[in-house]
Amino acid sequence: MEKNPVEILFGKRNFFEFLESLEQMAPERGIKTIREVIVKDGIGNEEKQRIKSYLPNTVKFTTVSSREMDRIAQDKNHQGYVIIRTKQKSFLSLGFEHFKQNISPNEGPILILDRIQDPGNLGNLLRTAECMGVKHVLMSDRDTSPITPVVEKVSAGAIHHIQIYRVANLKHGIDFLKKNEYWILATDEEGEEEIWENLPDVSQMAVIMGNEGEGVKRILLEDADYIARIPLYGSVTSLNVVVACGITLDRLHNVSH
């Protein structure tokens, strides 16, 4: 077994989002993890200089052929940009103690993810959340996709701009949020449509999005202050969790006073 296993960060947007966020990251999660930065031959000198401006001279910077880049990236859609770094055991995620330390009133919306198992869905949820102003994401550490390079790629670099917390018990996180003046919203097909018109300000809200097949666990629904139904107008009676999350966060911003 390799003593210090590595992982590959790939894709142009993800690549630059990671480099641009290095200053905000703790060195052991950011700059110290980088083994090598690799770009494809043909990238212009101006862009190469831009990349080097993010890096200390100690970091190896290499250009390679398209064929070699395909081999390095294991035929993933690298777009000519790869960072090889030391694999993180708890990749970009923090624990419950960090959650309690970092969360203050009026920092919403906060996103709570219950058993999101598909890496593609998780990456797109994180991308959607960041685009809609979410700074903190709380998720369960069981029955949930890990934060892999694929999740990172799908998120389009969003995970470098939000804090992700993995905890054993989401209910404890919800209880903590309530004590800090947050209102909890969940969506469910048995919820009420009129709730959307009477919600607190988005800065006071935390949103639970549930498992792709089963939705939000009943025990978490029981803790929700609001259970809303997203109105649908077609023949299909359910939405993909990513779409539902985007609609929910957008509505919260639109109803804020």
Side-chain angles (χ1 to χ4, degrees), residues 114-122 142-146 211-213:
D114 176 29
R115 300 168 299 148
I116 303 300
Q117 298 173 335
D118 179 78
N121 279 342
L122 180 55
R142 292 179 295 177
D143 301 322
T144 299
S145 170
N211 174 269
E212 293 91 341

Side-chain angles (χ1 to χ4, degrees), residues 31-227:
I31 198 68
K32 287 187 177 180
T33 69
I34 301 176
R35 295 280 195 89
E36 186 174 1
V37 174
I38 307 172
V39 297
K40 186 175 67 173
D41 286 340
I43 291 176
N45 287 331
E46 185 175 337
E47 187 145 299
K48 289 177 185 176
Q49 291 305 314
R50 177 190 172 195
I51 294 167
K52 290 179 180 179
S53 71
Y54 296 112
L55 305 170
N57 293 331
T58 53
V59 173
K60 186 177 180 182
F61 180 84
T62 309
T63 60
V64 299
S65 67
S66 296
R67 179 177 294 183
E68 179 63 10
M69 181 68 88
D70 291 341
R71 185 193 67 78
I72 292 169
Q74 300 168 6
D75 293 322
K76 295 182 174 70
N77 184 22
H78 51 76
Q79 299 173 307
Y81 300 82
V82 160
I83 295 174
I84 298 177
R85 61 186 177 186
T86 305
K87 189 171 185 179
Q88 303 295 289
K89 291 182 179 179
S90 55
F91 183 67
L92 289 173
S93 60
L94 303 170
F96 188 45
E97 290 304 313
H98 289 100
F99 182 73
K100 291 191 291 184
Q101 292 168 14
N102 292 347
I103 301 298
S104 301
N106 299 309
E107 289 193 350
I110 290 172
L111 182 61
I112 303 167
L113 299 179
D114 176 29
R115 300 168 299 148
I116 303 300
Q117 298 173 335
D118 179 78
N121 279 342
L122 180 55
N124 276 308
L125 280 165
L126 296 173
R127 179 177 186 173
T128 299
E130 202 284 328
C131 288
M132 298 304 295
V134 172
K135 300 299 182 185
H136 303 277
V137 177
L138 181 69
M139 64 178 72
S140 52
D141 61 6
R142 292 179 295 177
D143 301 322
T144 299
S145 170
I147 307 294
T148 64
V150 171
V151 172
E152 186 175 6
K153 171 69 162 56
V154 173
S155 83
I159 62 172
H160 306 310
H161 300 283
I162 55 180
Q163 295 284 3
I164 300 171
Y165 309 87
R166 298 181 73 103
V167 299
N169 192 326
L170 287 178
K171 191 176 187 308
H172 291 167
I174 291 171
D175 290 343
F176 176 80
L177 287 169
K178 287 189 169 187
K179 289 177 182 176
N180 281 269
E181 305 175 16
Y182 284 91
W183 299 87
I184 311 300
L185 170 74
T187 58
D188 187 80
E189 61 184 13
E190 297 179 7
E192 301 177 22
E193 290 186 14
E194 60 270 20
I195 280 176
W196 297 107
E197 301 173 6
N198 300 288
L199 293 173
D201 189 85
V202 65
S203 66
Q204 299 173 289
M205 298 298 299
V207 176
I208 310 173
M209 300 307 301
N211 174 269
E212 293 91 341
E214 301 173 6
V216 178
K217 279 190 295 193
R218 183 58 52 183
I219 191 172
L220 299 183
L221 284 177
E222 291 171 357
D223 278 339
D225 300 296
Y226 303 95
I227 301 178

